[in-house]
Every structure is written in C-alpha cells, then in structure tokens.
Amino acid sequence: AQSVAQPEDQVNVAEGNPLTVKCTYSVSGNPYLFWYVQYPNRGLQFLLKYITGDNLVKGSYGFEAEFNKSQTSFHLKKPSALVSDSALYFCAVRAISGNTPLVFGKGTRLSVIA
Amino acid sequence: DAGVIQSPRHEVTEMGQEVTLRCKPISGHNSLFWYRQTMMRGLELLIYFNNNVPIDDSGMPEDRFSAKMPNASFSTLKIQPSEPRDSAVYFCASTSGGRSTGELFFGEGSRLTVL
C-alpha cells in the first residue's frame, strides 16, 4: 500500500528565511513523487515532481525538493520565502509499476510572515 | 489550453435535495478522479475512472453518492438526497494515464453547502 506522511500541520517562517515542508512516503518499489500547492479557493496546482535521475528537483516559483531514498523522504524547500508562498502544500506518491492513482498527504499549511 | 472545468463553482442547497456536480476533463486525458476536501478529513479520493470505466469507488461514502462518465469529455457526481455533512469542496482531476507519471490536473472545485 502507498502512503504519505506530512508530519507538520502548520509551518511558520519569516519572509526571506529558508523554508522546508516535510514529506515521507511508503511505496512498494520505486516512486513517482509530487508536490502540489493550493491557494485559497483554488484547486491544487502542480509544483514539481521526481521521476528519476537527479535527486534534487527544481520546480515552479523557486521551489525545489530533494529525493532521499534511504530516508524515504521528499522534502520541499525554498531558499528565501515570500509572503505570497503562504498556502496549503500537498505531497503525493505513486508507485512506478502498476497504474495506481496518486496518494496524497493531509497537507501542510505554510504561513510566511512579513 | 483549457484546464479541467467544473460546474457549478458554488452550490447552496437544502437538506434532502439532489445535487449534481459536473466535470469536463482535459481533452486527451483518459483518467478522471473525483475528490472531496474538508477541514476535518483533508483530501479524499471518492472514485476514479479509466477510459470512462469506474475503477475504484471504494471512497464513495454512501449509496447517496453516485458518479458517471458517459463519455471521455464529461463526468457527473450526484448526491441524492444531500445532507449537511456533505458540505465540502469537490474537486475533479484528470491525467493522461497509461505510461504517464500520473501527474494530476485539478479543476477549481465546486463548493457545496447543504443547509
């Protein structure tokens, strides 16, 4: 079975500081990993994904994520947070083999304070 | 490019009434998903279709919920009769399926309020 854990319901960070939103996963075999962002009253928007290759993935709006196979983690990072980054962030996973749908974490609310 | 289109964006109805939510997936996508989002439960997968065929409806909460996909460009989620606990935002998402990575494209959601 596939699962995703986002251990923090809320992350607060000061504008200009680096941010990290944590994600760990469980899947049989190799994973596809995703991050989505949801702004208020909007649908989920794709940020970035890991398929294969370089463990550091760069995505939209200056975000990046690092795939760590030994720790089964895929933490989302940004070197310098903006107030406009405040939103709900979802990590998702699916196994490469098979045709199962994405499994989402429960989401982490990021609040960037000016 | 048109994304996933959902209607209505907002629906307010009274308990016992029938509610129908609609979704038009991205053209060429052959997998469609219905999700429900609430503060208490987060994002829940209700049902998904591959090539218009329902594959897994284990997330559908009760018999009051039903979903159809009569063709590749249209799906409905129906609640009959509706109850206050059905109040939530319902999202439709699509993907190209097959050998794709499974990246989902979401609509803007339908916010349902049942009084």
Side-chain angles (χ1 to χ4, degrees):
Chain A
Q2 302 167 151
S3 66
V4 173
Q6 293 183 242
E8 302 151 318
D9 290 338
Q10 173 98 26
V11 170
N12 298 320
V13 63
E15 187 175 31
N17 282 3
L19 69 86
T20 299
V21 182
K22 295 179 180 177
C23 171
T24 58
Y25 67 90
S26 174
V27 70
S28 297
N30 293 317
Y32 291 138
L33 293 155
F34 302 81
W35 277 101
Y36 284 80
V37 60
Q38 185 182 28
Y39 298 102
N41 302 312
R42 302 296 300 275
L44 278 70
Q45 298 176 30
F46 169 79
L47 261 185
L48 52 80
K49 65 183 175 185
Y50 170 82
I51 302 173
T52 186
D54 194 349
N55 289 342
L56 185 64
V57 178
K58 294 187 184 297
S60 308
Y61 312 121
F63 283 93
E64 58 189 29
E66 186 164 13
F67 170 60
N68 187 317
K69 188 171 184 177
S70 63
Q71 297 186 3
T72 61
S73 68
F74 190 55
H75 301 330
L76 181 69
K77 300 182 180 184
K78 187 172 182 181
S80 178
L82 300 173
V83 172
S84 58
D85 293 330
S86 299
L88 188 57
Y89 290 81
F90 291 92
C91 182
V93 69
R94 64 164 286 198
I96 291 177
S97 59
N99 196 22
T100 55
L102 292 186
V103 173
F104 285 85
K106 62 180 175 58
T108 298
R109 187 164 298 282
L110 173 67
S111 181
V112 181
I113 304 158
Chain B
D1 283 344
V4 175
I5 299 171
Q6 292 187 244
S7 65
R9 288 295 312 276
H10 301 275
E11 175 95 6
V12 180
T13 190
E14 293 188 345
M15 183 173 64
Q17 296 297 306
E18 178 179 295
V19 173
T20 299
L21 308 177
R22 298 172 177 81
C23 175
K24 176 178 168 53
I26 292 173
S27 178
H29 283 187
N30 60 1
S31 295
L32 182 140
F33 302 75
W34 282 101
Y35 287 88
R36 178 172 69 176
Q37 186 179 33
T38 61
M39 290 289 290
M40 292 296 293
R41 292 197 179 93
L43 196 63
E44 302 173 274
L45 176 61
L46 300 178
I47 185 171
Y48 74 96
F49 298 82
N50 280 348
N51 297 316
N52 312 338
V53 176
I55 301 301
D56 184 355
D57 65 353
S58 60
M60 296 285 262
E62 309 172 23
D63 291 346
R64 297 184 297 106
F65 285 69
S66 62
K68 293 182 179 179
M69 192 164 185
N71 58 61
S73 59
F74 184 65
S75 178
T76 59
L77 178 67
K78 186 175 292 186
I79 309 172
Q80 166 63 18
S82 59
E83 296 183 3
R85 59 188 166 134
D86 302 329
S87 297
V89 182
Y90 292 81
F91 288 103
C92 177
S94 68
T95 186
S96 54
R99 293 188 174 185
S100 80
T101 59
E103 176 186 338
L104 290 178
F105 296 80
F106 283 80
E108 295 291 352
S110 294
R111 181 176 295 276
L112 173 65
T113 302
V114 183
L115 303 174

